[in-house]
Amino acid sequence: MLAPTSFAPSLEGLPMTEPMNGERKPRRLAIIASKGTLDWAYPPLMLATTAASMGWDVGIYFTFYGLYIIHKDYQNQLQVSPVGNPAMPPPLPAFPQFKVPTLLGTLPGMTAMATTMMKGWMEKAHLAPLGELLSIARELGVKLYACNTMIGVMGIDRADLMEGVECAGSPAFLDYAAEAHIQLFI
Amino acid sequence: MTAPTLQIAQTLDARGLVCPMPTVRLGQAIRKLNVGDIVEVWTDDPGSQANMAAWTKNTGHQLVSSAVEGQVYKYQVRRMR
């Protein structure tokens, strides 16, 4: 056995407490995904798949631009913008002092370039592409809800949403979230 | 406790995968095993020790043994339910 660390005081004889054997309700995670850029699309899906892999009950409520994460035509085309993001890493890792001034981010092609760069980093780290994370989420039983109202406001066709997505309203989501141990707005 | 020699039902090579993919892959893999079977996970995620402790605590599956060989952490997890 590895020596204990502060996050993992003892690995000996785990599980230590509260095994989930049906006598106890599983923990629940409720997430609202409201952003439609590549960088903001990942956190809800990473947390959801992690929690589901631990046997938690997980639901994501997609609203506003977050709806594009579950939109068949858009989910592979989400982008990240360098505009207004001074934390955007330098394009050439060998020259960390050469950062793209945020004003230049407004030039045509800069969003595409930033997106290509970020996808490259993710691929290098073997992070699953969005589509794959979503199918893992479905396989592990994550519930995907689409906000009814915003589907209408944004003129999205329900038929264009990926399979397995349920349309729901905020009362239904709040009722679900009220029973959750963790609620996040992302 | 010294780990007895155990029959490994499956080896999950998660080397090169960043968090949370090793535990997510483990979650996918363990569902396909029989209760009592052991999966051995290989990962080079330096945070994996705390992650595996949290994962096994939450799922109720048992962390049978853990070891590190060079850069690679090896965890044996038994499906409990």
Side-chain angles (χ1 to χ4, degrees):
Chain A
M1 277 287 175
L2 296 174
T5 71
S6 59
F7 262 140
S10 170
L11 296 179
E12 196 93 6
L14 280 170
M16 299 174 289
T17 52
E18 305 187 279
M20 298 214 300
N21 48 15
E23 292 160 20
R24 191 171 70 96
K25 267 170 85 175
R27 286 179 172 163
R28 179 178 285 186
L29 168 65
I31 302 176
I32 296 177
S34 70
K35 306 281 196 294
T37 59
L38 191 60
D39 49 343
W40 282 96
Y42 269 90
L45 293 176
M46 288 168 81
L47 289 170
T49 49
T50 305
S53 85
M54 298 201 297
W56 291 25
D57 172 18
V58 188
I60 313 177
Y61 185 71
F62 295 91
T63 187
F64 277 85
Y65 314 107
L67 284 168
Y68 290 122
I69 300 171
I70 48 169
H71 193 290
K72 285 185 212 160
D73 299 341
Y74 288 93
Q75 66 180 196
N76 293 319
Q77 290 172 32
L78 298 187
Q79 296 192 302
V80 57
S81 173
V83 176
N85 182 6
M88 198 75 197
L92 304 166
F95 302 96
Q97 70 279 20
F98 175 64
K99 294 197 87 167
V100 178
T102 50
L103 190 63
L104 290 187
T106 58
L107 293 175
M110 290 303 272
T111 300
M113 199 180 100
T115 303
T116 307
M117 263 169 49
M118 181 158 281
K119 283 188 170 170
W121 301 328
M122 286 170 170
E123 206 181 311
K124 211 172 148 196
H126 299 285
L127 195 58
L130 275 186
E132 195 185 334
L133 266 188
L134 278 163
S135 62
I136 293 173
R138 281 191 60 200
E139 180 192 329
L140 296 175
V142 173
K143 295 174 200 71
L144 307 174
Y145 303 110
C147 171
N148 253 333
T149 306
M150 289 317 295
I151 286 174
V153 170
M154 298 174 76
I156 291 171
D157 189 341
R158 281 183 180 76
D160 289 337
L161 296 179
M162 55 178 278
E163 240 177 273
V165 171
E166 239 177 280
C167 290
S170 46
F173 179 75
L174 287 175
D175 184 58
Y176 179 85
E179 303 284 320
H181 300 79
I182 299 176
Q183 303 103 353
L184 300 173
F185 182 93
I186 300 179
Chain B
M1 185 179 86
T2 49
T5 312
L6 294 162
Q7 192 76 32
I8 308 295
Q10 191 192 343
T11 300
L12 177 67
D13 187 354
R15 287 175 298 174
L17 301 187
V18 290
C19 174
M21 297 317 290
T23 40
V24 170
R25 295 292 183 206
L26 174 59
Q28 287 179 294
I30 210 157
R31 296 173 158 224
K32 297 178 181 125
L33 300 181
N34 296 317
V35 173
D37 280 354
I38 290 177
V39 54
E40 183 168 284
V41 187
W42 296 357
T43 173
D44 46 18
D45 173 10
S48 60
Q49 194 179 344
N51 291 341
M52 290 300 298
W55 192 89
T56 45
K57 180 184 155 194
N58 274 267
T59 54
H61 300 309
Q62 186 189 13
L63 185 61
V64 183
S65 76
S66 58
V68 61
E69 292 169 18
Q71 304 285 311
V72 181
Y73 297 84
K74 294 185 175 181
Y75 301 95
Q76 296 181 342
V77 181
R78 189 198 307 272
R79 178 169 179 174
M80 297 301 281
R81 53 188 178 84

